[in-house]
Amino acid sequence: MDARAIIARLRRHEVPSAAELTWFAQGLADGTVSDAQAGAFAMGVCMGRLGPKGRAALTLAMRDTGDVLHWDFDGPVIDKHSTGGVGDCISLVLAPALAECGAYVPMISGRGLGHTGGTLDKMEAIPGVTTQLGPDRLAQVVRDTGAAIVGATARIAPADKRLYAIRDVTATVESLDLITASILSKKLAASPDALVLDVKLGSGAFMKSADEARALARALTETANAAGCRTSALITDMNQPLAPSLGNALEVGEVMRVLTGGHADDPLAQLSAELGGVLLADTGLAPDAVSGAARIAAIISDGRAAERFGRMIAAVGGPVQFVENWQRFLPEATVIREVPARDSGYVTAIDGEALGLAVVALGGGRQVESDTVDPSVGLSRVIRLGASVRAGTSLATIHAARQEAAEAAEATLRAAITIGPEPVAAPPLIHERITP
């Protein structure tokens, strides 16, 4: 086959065959396809549409350029993926809760992207934790503890790694077909029996509108189900941070408060239960999503998920007594300051993307790939939508390494939180459910 012929088909708005997409994906992985050809391919897909069959073919082709993991467990293998938001640390709550239900959760996660935090960065805020495990070690940890949250090795979907880097510099990131293939080629490489997708919607999400979020959720679920993995999606709200903290160690602290404090009404606990309930129903571990959610909620509130989390952390190198002494182990910033409101009224809007970028600027994320992340910095006690404030009410607490960084974050935070004269209703936690 010839890369030029495949690119020409895309230029004519034709969908390449499954065999052609398989050849091109392999060329991305082994270098047969040049950077120029990869960029032209990405632009061709971006300017046209692969459609459901082409999208599924590209996803499986990219998956199969690397290792596809296989398991020998006595229960279902399940996974969850979020499209990215702020204050979103659900994976750390959900993985141990699902393991306590008899599922196995080899969760291959990523680092921060843009304004959104990365699950691996949060895990690595815990001293000693390693997120890079080989396949044999990963299987052993999951067998022993029921769950592990790790990074993808270089042998997982290498075509995606190459194409993603090309997309980043050719303005072709925002293609529904390419986003779907990128996400699912890595997730399906872990061979889950069931997958739930948390598709974020709102100011702190990549998808700002309901139509965008719905289109992505449907593309992802249709493609994953066509590939043989039972997949459902929830479109969830990201018009404000899910947890009241942003930043790696601060978000781990929120996870521990939920796991050890019985905060059943916390949005982090509620959404974890809803997502987990879908997975339990889809794998037959619960009769339906409602009873599955109730089971997850009980496991979180009575401490069983916390105990399982502690075992998981110890198995990947973290402190043995982390759950009992988590405040002692998590790093703290040297500069901590509150941001008081200057006006009275109600919180009517929160720019979640701006808050996320403020955390990146503090050092809690990467502006370039080589940046070192400071796990201690971020924002905590971020005020909620609809809250009544008076002049002097704290809008948030800044955790910074330097005073000047804290001052810059304060200016960003003030601009990101709108205070108006009339109250607004808080948006629903779940906007829509998409099932097979």
Side-chain angles (χ1 to χ4, degrees):
M1 293 189 187
D2 187 336
R4 292 170 297 179
I6 295 170
I7 294 165
R9 291 196 65 181
L10 289 169
R11 190 184 66 237
R12 296 192 299 267
H13 300 290
E14 298 171 4
V15 178
S17 69
E20 289 172 321
L21 291 171
T22 297
W23 182 91
F24 202 95
Q26 189 59 50
L28 287 168
D30 64 20
T32 303
V33 170
S34 71
D35 283 354
Q37 289 168 333
F41 175 86
M43 186 61 73
V45 174
C46 201
M47 297 298 290
R49 280 183 61 85
L50 292 181
K53 289 184 179 180
R55 191 185 303 135
L58 179 61
T59 298
L60 292 177
M62 289 170 59
R63 180 199 68 179
D64 292 342
T65 59
D67 290 344
V68 178
L69 304 179
H70 299 285
W71 315 101
D72 183 23
F73 300 141
D74 59 1
V77 174
I78 57 181
D79 202 356
K80 162 257 177 192
H81 176 78
S82 169
T83 58
V86 290
D88 179 7
C89 38
I90 280 179
S91 293
L92 277 66
V93 176
L94 183 56
L98 290 168
E100 191 64 23
C101 294
Y104 291 89
V105 192
M107 191 175 285
I108 297 177
S109 299
R111 302 196 179 277
L113 178 65
H115 67 280
T116 67
T119 299
L120 296 186
D121 298 323
K122 294 164 195 176
M123 286 285 291
E124 291 172 357
I126 303 172
V129 164
T130 178
T131 59
Q132 298 302 312
L133 303 181
D136 292 342
R137 179 60 183 152
L138 172 60
Q140 188 60 53
V141 170
V142 175
R143 189 181 305 280
D144 291 345
T145 70
I149 298 174
V150 299
T153 69
R155 293 177 59 84
I156 296 291
D160 175 65
K161 184 175 183 180
R162 173 103 185 280
L163 186 58
Y164 191 92
I166 297 291
R167 289 166 58 208
D168 194 35
V169 297
T170 56
T172 54
V173 171
E174 295 178 1
S175 158
L176 199 63
D177 293 326
L178 296 178
I179 290 170
T180 299
S182 178
I183 290 171
L184 291 179
S185 61
K186 297 188 289 287
K187 281 296 177 183
L188 296 178
S191 300
D193 297 309
L195 173 66
V196 68
L197 300 162
D198 182 3
V199 179
K200 300 295 188 185
L201 161 65
S203 68
F206 288 109
M207 300 298 171
K208 309 297 185 187
S209 74
D211 287 344
E212 290 175 322
R214 188 178 300 112
L216 177 58
R218 287 178 174 165
L220 288 166
T221 53
E222 288 170 2
T223 302
N225 280 292
C229 176
R230 183 171 177 83
T231 302
S232 301
L234 300 184
I235 299 176
T236 69
D237 191 71
M238 191 43 68
N239 285 297
Q240 60 182 330
L242 180 63
S245 292
L246 289 73
N248 297 307
L250 295 169
E251 290 186 48
V252 174
E254 295 294 340
V255 168
M256 298 316 300
R257 276 184 275 276
V258 166
L259 291 178
T260 63
H263 299 291
D265 59 346
D266 188 286
L268 178 58
Q270 290 180 340
L271 189 50
S272 297
E274 293 289 344
L275 290 163
V278 170
L279 282 170
L280 294 186
D282 282 350
T283 52
L285 292 175
D288 53 57
V290 173
S291 57
R295 186 178 179 191
I296 294 287
I299 286 170
I300 293 171
S301 65
D302 67 14
R304 283 179 284 168
E307 188 275 336
R308 181 75 66 155
F309 183 78
R311 289 168 54 192
M312 181 183 77
I313 292 300
V316 293
V320 173
Q321 297 294 316
F322 180 74
V323 171
E324 293 80 6
N325 300 291
W326 60 269
Q327 295 98 329
R328 179 166 67 88
F329 289 112
L330 292 176
E332 295 184 357
T334 54
V335 178
I336 300 175
R337 61 191 283 180
E338 288 195 10
V339 179
R342 291 173 176 160
D343 304 303
S344 298
Y346 300 89
V347 178
T348 58
I350 296 175
D351 185 342
E353 183 173 354
L355 294 184
L357 291 174
V359 174
V360 173
L362 285 167
R366 297 172 185 81
Q367 295 181 337
V368 297
E369 189 174 353
S370 59
D371 282 350
T372 299
V373 170
D374 183 344
S376 69
V377 302
L379 308 173
S380 67
R381 299 175 59 206
V382 178
I383 200 162
R384 307 295 290 175
L385 276 174
S388 173
V389 299
R390 295 179 180 273
T393 299
S394 177
L395 299 177
T397 301
I398 295 171
H399 302 249
R402 304 178 311 279
Q403 286 287 353
E404 57 269 29
E407 291 168 2
E410 178 173 341
T412 300
L413 189 144
R414 289 189 181 282
I417 297 176
T418 302
I419 297 175
E422 301 294 333
V424 297
L429 191 59
I430 298 172
H431 290 270
E432 193 171 336
R433 298 171 185 265
I434 296 176
T435 56

